[in-house]
Amino acid sequence: QIQLVESGGGLVQAGGSLRLSCTASKHSFSTYAMGWFRQAPEKEREFVAAISWSGSTYYTDSLKGRFTISADNAKNTNTVYLQMNSLKPEDTAVYYCASRSRGVSYYYGAYEYWGQGTQVTVSS
């Protein structure tokens, strides 16, 4: 069983930045794709960003330039990050880390493992 643990959420003013972290247990990123999704109240879970085992990154178009995904697979730390800059109130959501044993997918249903989520609230 793979466990994903997110951290780094919180309350920030519009225009501020946050960095989310997700640490995975029991596997190496060399065989998995990792993704970030978010879900706002009464909305569907949506794709934010993902990184493949080879380091290729993918973003939803509306967040390109503000959000950056990266991974640290050195020394078995198995941590993926989501750097979020110039945050807007509409970025408010629960952010989830996810993992799958194949290539990157933009569809949340394709991911096999999920973290518990971390709340990000952006005040205006």
Side-chain angles (χ1 to χ4, degrees), residues 42-58:
E42 301 183 357
K43 291 189 177 181
E44 289 193 359
R45 192 165 299 190
E46 64 174 351
F47 176 82
V48 173
I51 187 166
S52 71
W53 67 270
S54 63
S56 297
T57 57
Y58 305 81

Side-chain angles (χ1 to χ4, degrees), residues 38-119:
R38 67 183 184 183
Q39 188 166 18
E42 301 183 357
K43 291 189 177 181
E44 289 193 359
R45 192 165 299 190
E46 64 174 351
F47 176 82
V48 173
I51 187 166
S52 71
W53 67 270
S54 63
S56 297
T57 57
Y58 305 81
Y59 299 92
T60 194
D61 287 344
S62 62
L63 299 177
K64 285 181 181 178
R66 292 198 298 123
F67 287 20
T68 303
I69 189 171
S70 61
D72 178 8
N73 197 28
K75 300 181 181 179
N76 296 319
T77 58
N78 294 333
T79 299
V80 63
Y81 304 97
L82 184 68
Q83 178 67 43
M84 306 184 294
N85 298 327
S86 302
L87 284 163
K88 303 175 182 180
E90 51 262 45
D91 295 319
T92 295
V94 177
Y95 284 71
Y96 296 91
C97 174
S99 170
R100 70 188 304 253
S101 57
R102 296 184 179 183
V104 166
S105 173
Y106 289 72
Y107 174 52
Y108 67 85
Y111 287 77
E112 299 150 304
Y113 302 99
W114 290 85
Q116 80 286 355
T118 186
Q119 176 71 46

